[in-house]
Amino acid sequence: LKICLTCKAAPQQLSAAQVDAGHGIVVMTDILYNSFFLTGSSWSKLGSVPLKHVSVGPAGIWGVNKDDKVHKFSGGDFFPVLGLELKQLDAGGQGHVVGVTDTDKIYCLNADRAFSIQKEGILTWDQLQGRLRYFSCGPNGCWGVNSIQHIYFTVKVLPNTCEISGFIRINGLGVKIEVGTDGRVFILNQSGQLYERAGISDKVPQGTEWKEIAFQEPLKHASYDLGHLWLVTKCGVILECTD
C-alpha cells in the first residue's frame, strides 16, 4: 500500500541535515551545525551553540552537539546540561526527554527535571532496558530502532517516573523513527524510503501495518506536527507535505 501526499519546497536553508517539528514549532540543523527555527516563510538562527541534532516538543527545545553534549534552549540561547552525553534525543514525549548514547544505551529524563532546569546544571537520567540507536516518544507510546534496524515499541514511558512497560518488536526495518505530537509514526529505512504506521488506535497503540509514502528521491530525515510532514532529502532540500 502506498500513500500519496501533496508536497512543496519549504523555505530553504542551504545543506539542511535534520528537521524536527512539535508544539507548532519547526526547528532544523544544517551540516555546519547551525540551528534554525521557522518564522513565517524563512529560517531564523536559533541560538549560538553549534548542534548536530535538535528536538522540539512539550519539554521545550533540546539539542546535542558533535561531542554528544546535551543542551536545552532557554532565555534566547542553548545552555549545557551536564550528567549524560547523548547522540540523539527527543523532546516529543509528555514533558519528559528521551535519548540514546553512543553505545545505544537508552535514557529518560523525567518531566519534572526536564522542566525545572533553566540554567547550566547537572541532571540525573534514568536508564531504560534494552539498546536503541534512535528513540522517539509521543502521546501513545515510544518507538525506536536498534543497530540492526529492528523496530521496537513501548506503550508507555511514564513522564513523571520514566517507568517503562517493556518493548515489543514490530515488523519491518528502519534507521530513523519519529512520532508526531498527535501520535502519528513515520520511519525511514536505509534506502531513504519513508513509511507511516497505519492502524494506530487506543486499543492497538502499536498499529497494524506500514504504508509507504512514495517519493522520487531518497530522504534522510522526517518529522510530523499539526498536519504537516517536514522532510529533508539526501541532497539537503527541505519539503513540506500535507495529506
Side-chain angles (χ1 to χ4, degrees):
L1 288 167
K2 289 197 177 185
I3 302 170
C4 291
L5 298 178
T6 303
C7 297
K8 64 181 181 181
Q12 294 304 302
Q13 186 64 40
L14 287 177
S15 305
Q18 174 246 341
V19 65
D20 196 60
H23 252 32
I25 301 169
V26 185
V27 294
M28 60 144 308
T29 56
D30 66 16
I31 60 172
L32 300 174
Y33 306 119
N34 296 301
S35 302
F36 302 89
F37 68 101
L38 191 61
T39 52
S41 58
S42 64
W43 295 97
S44 300
K45 193 83 166 64
L46 181 64
S48 62
V49 179
L51 297 171
K52 67 177 179 181
H53 179 93
V54 287
S55 180
V56 59
I61 303 175
W62 293 68
V64 292
N65 69 8
K66 62 179 175 44
D67 299 317
D68 294 350
K69 300 280 193 295
V70 176
H71 291 72
K72 182 183 179 182
F73 189 83
S74 180
D77 208 348
F78 287 95
F79 64 89
V81 176
L82 308 176
L84 187 66
E85 295 178 359
L86 298 171
K87 64 179 175 182
Q88 177 261 332
L89 53 69
D90 185 79
Q94 294 164 296
H96 57 304
V97 179
V98 297
V100 293
T101 68
D102 61 352
T103 56
D104 295 349
K105 291 179 181 176
I106 314 161
Y107 284 89
C108 172
L109 182 68
N110 73 39
D112 287 341
R113 292 175 188 154
F115 176 76
S116 63
I117 185 141
Q118 298 297 335
K119 60 183 190 302
E120 187 172 344
I122 300 173
L123 284 176
T124 303
W125 297 68
D126 295 298
Q127 186 176 351
L128 307 182
Q129 65 192 57
R131 289 279 198 277
L132 292 172
R133 73 183 329 171
Y134 204 99
F135 195 37
S136 181
C137 287
N140 305 319
C142 302
W143 293 74
V145 291
N146 69 8
S147 59
I148 52 173
Q149 302 177 38
H150 289 172
I151 304 163
Y152 288 89
F153 168 76
T154 177
V155 74
K156 196 58 78 178
V157 175
L158 293 176
N160 294 324
T161 61
C162 287
E163 285 181 71
I164 187 171
S165 57
F167 286 105
I168 58 171
R169 175 137 177 234
I170 304 293
N171 68 299
L173 296 170
V175 294
K176 288 177 185 171
I177 194 158
E178 288 283 348
V179 187
T181 34
D182 67 347
R184 289 176 73 174
V185 179
F186 297 86
I187 192 166
L188 282 168
N189 67 14
Q190 197 165 24
S191 306
Q193 295 168 295
L194 181 67
Y195 295 81
E196 180 176 3
R197 190 67 176 171
I200 292 174
S201 66
D202 289 341
K203 279 188 175 178
V204 191
Q206 72 271 30
T208 55
E209 62 181 328
W210 295 106
K211 290 188 175 182
E212 185 179 0
I213 300 174
F215 281 96
Q216 291 173 323
E217 59 179 307
L219 304 168
K220 64 179 177 180
H221 216 92
S223 186
Y224 178 86
D225 184 48
L226 297 177
H228 294 256
L229 180 64
W230 300 88
L231 304 169
V232 180
T233 71
K234 286 275 172 80
C235 299
V237 175
I238 307 167
L239 300 174
E240 178 187 357
C241 305
T242 53
D243 289 323

